[in-house]
Amino acid sequence: MVSNNEEVKLFGIVESPFVTRVEIALKLKGIEYKYIEEKPGNLSDTLIKYNPVYKKVPVLVHNEKPISESLVILEYIDETWNQNPILPSDPYNRAQARFWSKFIDDKAVDALRKVIHTHDEKEREKGIEEIEEAFQILENELKDKFFGGDEIGIVDITAVIIACWLPIIQEAFGVKLFNSDKFPKLYKWSQDFNNHPIVKETLPPRETLLAFYKGVYERILASK
């Protein structure tokens, strides 16, 4: 556990998968932390002071030193606390884990943004195609129970948006992007990941996320 002379704070928003990434990593490591909830669209002056460049969550503050951007925070956590590593020790495998984590953000997450934030049907269809292409690549890459082998690693944590958020977004938006017929290995991975004891206790309530994304979809329809 974190020693008494260390202070760890996490600024977040309950609906953010990027914040949940950080929480999963902290809990896997057994690190005690104080969670500070921010309000979407009305971030605190403290948060902006800690992250003046991007002005967004998550921000991890360790002994008053702020770290921003979820993938950077995950690596910081792994390098600061040695127990229960989430990155491989082998340099090549470590580089591969970084590669696939970045792939998820650059390809899958970016395409998902096109689906849930665009008013243009063609742009949404393009996003759906890009998601399916990215998922097929991940399906082919998945060799073990988790991307990290038998234990959860940084790639699995990065992909929490696929395992937990995507099924909820599908329901809210009435789209079909991810199921066991198209991507059987990835789908089974998502079930195993969501049912991992630490992940299960960390994920936001499903009802909260569903209400949030239904609201997003209603605002898109109203603006057409």
Side-chain angles (χ1 to χ4, degrees):
M1 301 293 271
V2 65
S3 60
N4 292 332
N5 63 351
E6 290 190 286
E7 184 184 41
V8 181
K9 294 183 287 189
L10 174 62
F11 289 78
I13 289 169
V14 71
E15 296 88 0
S16 170
F18 308 103
V19 173
T20 299
R21 287 175 178 175
V22 178
E23 290 202 88
I24 291 170
L26 289 169
K27 289 182 180 179
L28 282 170
K29 295 274 188 180
I31 306 302
E32 294 176 4
Y33 64 97
K34 181 182 180 183
Y35 180 82
I36 297 109
E37 178 73 18
E38 292 284 332
K39 293 180 180 177
N42 188 24
L43 299 175
S44 69
D45 292 341
T46 305
L47 182 281
I48 293 168
K49 178 189 79 172
Y50 283 137
N51 188 4
V53 177
Y54 290 115
K55 299 180 175 68
K56 64 180 182 181
V57 296
V59 174
L60 183 79
V61 182
H62 181 208
N63 292 336
E64 283 307 306
K65 294 176 181 175
I67 306 99
S68 305
E69 294 298 284
S70 63
L71 294 186
V72 176
I73 296 171
L74 292 183
E75 290 208 35
Y76 177 85
I77 290 169
D78 203 48
E79 290 168 0
T80 303
W81 295 283
N82 295 327
Q83 68 272 25
N84 303 326
I86 60 172
L87 273 154
S89 57
D90 175 77
Y92 177 76
N93 292 337
R94 201 174 178 89
Q96 289 297 298
R98 289 187 175 116
F99 174 87
W100 288 111
S101 295
K102 193 167 188 308
F103 173 85
I104 289 166
D105 271 1
D106 288 351
K107 298 297 183 181
V109 174
D110 190 59
L112 188 56
R113 285 194 178 107
K114 289 180 184 175
V115 174
I116 65 176
H117 292 305
T118 185
H119 299 180
D120 188 291
E121 285 303 322
K122 285 186 179 178
E123 188 71 9
R124 181 171 287 125
E125 286 171 14
K126 185 182 175 187
I128 290 170
E129 285 178 17
E130 289 176 5
I131 287 173
E132 291 182 342
E133 286 173 12
F135 283 1
Q136 191 57 61
I137 292 170
L138 291 171
E139 175 84 5
N140 296 340
E141 176 60 23
L142 187 56
K143 306 292 193 298
D144 300 299
K145 181 177 182 179
F146 298 113
F147 286 98
D150 290 332
E151 301 294 335
I152 285 175
I154 192 170
V155 181
D156 306 287
I157 295 168
T158 303
V160 67
I161 191 167
I162 298 171
C164 176
W165 266 254
L166 190 57
I168 291 165
I169 290 168
Q170 285 187 149
E171 184 175 340
F173 279 68
V175 294
K176 297 289 183 189
L177 302 169
F178 182 48
N179 57 51
S180 58
D181 294 333
K182 279 187 179 178
F183 309 107
K185 288 196 294 181
L186 198 58
Y187 185 83
K188 184 178 186 310
W189 161 84
S190 74
Q191 301 302 298
D192 290 336
F193 180 78
N194 285 342
N195 286 318
H196 185 284
I198 286 175
V199 174
K200 201 169 184 176
E201 76 173 43
T202 308
L203 293 176
R206 191 179 188 282
E207 300 74 22
T208 301
L209 294 182
L210 186 59
F212 175 79
Y213 283 102
K214 279 183 175 178
V216 171
Y217 187 55
E218 285 167 7
R219 286 193 293 275
I220 289 171
L221 291 178
S223 65
K224 285 186 176 180

